[in-house]
């Protein structure tokens, strides 16, 4: 999968709605990209999307996870002036919201609006010193209250809108790179494995509800009971104001290190990367990683798990920025790790 197709996939799927618990809006499009590469593609009752490569081969059963859900909002109240009050669905920072275009996911279809706040000229000096809260914001859809109440209900999901942008030096920015860029890396790996007759049964799973606790990864791991798990997510990329050990170069794949990660899997990933020219850097995780790897590690009796991450700048904003080549290299490393383990599987042990 070349850089142009990676960028096209990311542009397509980041434009589609898929907040936690409501991923059907993006699920079908991801499935279309996987079908030419997989032996089988299916969805479970939690909207996890599975694409199996190598279904009839002997060897390890591998689950590769990258979540398809995005952070979003939910309508919490309809005011008498027709504006909508909102609450978060996932880790939304109120600071990024003023001026943002949104789509309210109503039963009759999307209703477009903008997120507003009290103008700074009308704030008191004391208010200007306070941190912005969700209570200070509202969605304006342009309708009077009676028209809004005829279309919108409390509990309707609100999706943030922002176009993806190609930037200089192979960079791309936009919303929902976390974590649909990692789904793109899974496509790269699936294509490579489908071309190489690797003796492994690999399930690429676009998981749901990671942003609120990795519900999808947990259920998928119980369903498949794999021999090992590889999770792909994003991490913080070096940028203005970032310090040492809290952010990583955007041109390197990070390999997680810590109690959430199986040591031999980590070693294989690092060695394989060196052997094949994939630039990596260690990401030290002193506790749980707050990714799908937390659930794959402990589900179904415990599954040896590896976490690879794509560094991006400005996480959980509408301008998450990454390098497309790092997406491709992440996928390439996944395929190489699976192939190495699969070809050594007879007699393989974790310790």
């Amino acid at each position: 999968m070349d850089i142009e197709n990676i960028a096209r996939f990311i542009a397509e799927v980041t434009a589609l709605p898929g907040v936690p618990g409501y991923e059907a809006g993006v699920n079908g499009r991801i499935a279309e990209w996987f079908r030419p590469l997989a032996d089988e593609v299916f969805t479970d009752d939690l909207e996890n999307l599975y694409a199996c490569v190598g279904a009839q081969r002997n060897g390890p059963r591998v689950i590769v996870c990258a979540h398809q859900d995005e952070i979003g909002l939910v309508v919490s109240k309809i005011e008498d002036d027709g504006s909508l009050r909102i609450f978060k669905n996932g880790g939304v920072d109120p600071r990024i919201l003023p001026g943002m275009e949104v789509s309210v996911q109503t039963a009759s279809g999307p209703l477009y609006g903008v997120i507003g706040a009290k103008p700074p000229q009308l704030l008191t000096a004391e208010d200007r010193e306070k941190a912005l809260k969700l209570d200070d914001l509202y969605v304006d859809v342009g309708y009077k209250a009676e028209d809004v109440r005829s279309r919108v209900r409390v509990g309707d999901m609100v999706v943030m809108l922002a176009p993806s942008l190609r930037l200089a030096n192979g960079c791309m920015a936009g919303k929902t790179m976390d974590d649909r860029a990692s789904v793109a890396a899974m496509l790269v790996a699936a294509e490579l494995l489908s071309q190489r007759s690797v003796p492994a049964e690999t399930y690429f799973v676009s998981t749901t509800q990671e942003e609120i606790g990795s519900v999808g990864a947990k259920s998928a791991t119980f369903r498949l009971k794999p021999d090992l798990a590889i999770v792909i997510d994003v991490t913080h990329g070096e940028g203005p104001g970032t310090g040492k050990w809290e952010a990583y170069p955007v041109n390197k794949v990070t390999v997680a290190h810590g109690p959430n990660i199986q040591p031999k899997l980590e070693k294989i990933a690092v060695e394989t990367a060196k052997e094949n020219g994939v630039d990596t850097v260690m990401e030290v995780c002193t506790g749980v990683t707050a990714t799908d790897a937390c659930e794959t590690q402990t589900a179904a009796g415990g599954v040896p798990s590896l976490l690879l991450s794509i560094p991006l700048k400005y996480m959980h904003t509408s301008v998450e920025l990454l390098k497309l080549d790092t997406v491709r290299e992440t996928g390439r490393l996944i395929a190489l790790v699976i192939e190495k383990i699969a070809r050594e599987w007879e007699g393989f042990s974790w310790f």
Side-chain angles (χ1 to χ4, degrees):
M1 193 173 182
D2 61 21
I3 292 295
E4 290 305 313
N5 275 320
I6 292 171
R8 184 162 69 90
F9 171 81
I10 290 173
E12 286 183 13
V13 298
T14 55
L16 298 173
V19 297
Y22 298 84
E23 293 89 352
V26 67
N27 192 301
R29 188 68 189 104
I30 295 173
E32 290 176 15
W33 279 80
F34 270 109
R35 283 197 180 96
L37 308 174
D39 300 285
E40 182 183 18
V41 176
F42 62 94
T43 302
D44 67 18
D45 293 339
L46 288 182
E47 289 295 339
N48 288 313
L49 176 71
Y50 301 76
C52 181
V53 177
Q56 304 303 318
R57 297 172 190 149
N58 296 323
R61 173 177 284 189
V62 183
I63 183 173
V64 182
C65 296
H67 68 90
Q68 59 183 303
D69 60 312
E70 62 182 311
I71 59 170
L73 303 159
V74 59
V75 176
S76 60
K77 183 182 180 182
I78 301 173
E79 297 284 9
D80 290 339
D81 64 357
S83 63
L84 308 176
R85 296 297 176 177
I86 47 179
F87 195 68
K88 61 184 179 179
N89 185 4
V92 178
D93 184 346
R95 296 177 303 166
I96 73 166
L97 296 176
M100 185 173 288
E101 299 175 29
V102 296
S103 172
V104 184
Q105 305 295 293
T106 75
S108 59
L111 180 62
Y112 296 100
V114 294
I115 296 181
K118 193 174 182 179
Q121 297 91 336
L122 302 181
L123 295 175
T124 66
E126 183 182 359
D127 286 339
R128 291 192 190 100
E129 298 300 318
K130 295 179 180 178
L132 193 67
K133 306 185 298 295
L134 279 175
D135 289 345
D136 301 320
L137 305 175
Y138 53 86
V139 175
D140 193 328
V141 297
Y143 284 127
K144 295 179 180 179
E146 60 187 59
D147 296 320
V148 173
R149 291 191 173 103
S150 71
R151 297 191 60 179
V152 179
R153 64 175 185 172
V154 170
D156 280 345
M157 296 295 155
V158 180
V159 176
M160 294 177 277
L161 302 178
S164 58
L165 302 169
R166 297 287 295 273
L167 302 175
N169 198 27
C171 293
M172 189 171 186
K175 77 174 188 71
T176 323
M177 297 292 185
D178 176 9
D179 192 34
R180 293 177 196 164
S182 296
V183 178
M186 290 203 304
L187 280 167
V188 173
E191 181 179 68
L192 290 171
L193 289 178
S194 69
Q195 296 168 348
R196 297 173 66 92
S197 299
V198 175
E201 183 183 36
T202 303
Y203 284 87
F204 294 93
V205 186
S206 298
T207 58
T208 58
Q209 301 189 51
E210 188 273 349
E211 295 290 359
I212 59 168
S214 295
V215 175
K218 183 176 183 178
S219 64
T221 306
F222 272 106
R223 181 189 186 107
L224 295 174
K225 296 180 174 58
D227 296 299
L228 64 128
I230 301 175
V231 172
I232 323 165
D233 212 314
V234 297
T235 191
H236 297 288
E238 291 180 343
T242 57
K244 188 176 182 180
W245 296 112
E246 67 179 6
Y248 304 89
V250 295
N251 63 341
K252 295 179 184 287
V253 182
T254 77
V255 181
H257 171 84
N260 202 179
I261 308 304
Q262 209 285 332
K264 187 169 182 178
L265 256 181
E266 178 191 345
K267 181 180 179 182
I268 290 171
V270 171
E271 290 176 348
T272 302
K274 288 180 179 178
E275 291 166 0
N276 292 275
V278 179
D279 287 334
T280 65
V281 62
M282 177 190 290
E283 180 175 5
V284 178
C285 303
T286 57
V288 296
T289 60
T291 68
D292 280 347
C294 296
E295 297 301 332
T296 61
Q297 183 197 35
T298 58
V303 177
S305 296
L306 172 70
L307 173 63
L308 303 177
S309 295
I310 301 167
L312 55 73
K313 301 179 183 181
Y314 324 123
M315 189 183 295
H316 281 198
T317 73
S318 59
V319 290
E320 295 174 331
L321 186 153
L322 49 71
K323 286 187 72 71
L324 292 168
D325 193 57
T326 308
V327 176
R328 182 176 61 183
E329 289 295 273
T330 303
R332 187 164 75 93
L333 180 56
I334 290 164
L336 291 166
V337 167
I338 293 171
E339 181 170 17
K340 181 176 180 65
I341 293 172
R343 299 205 185 282
E344 298 174 359
W345 189 244
E346 187 174 352
F348 187 91
S349 63
W350 292 112
F351 297 99

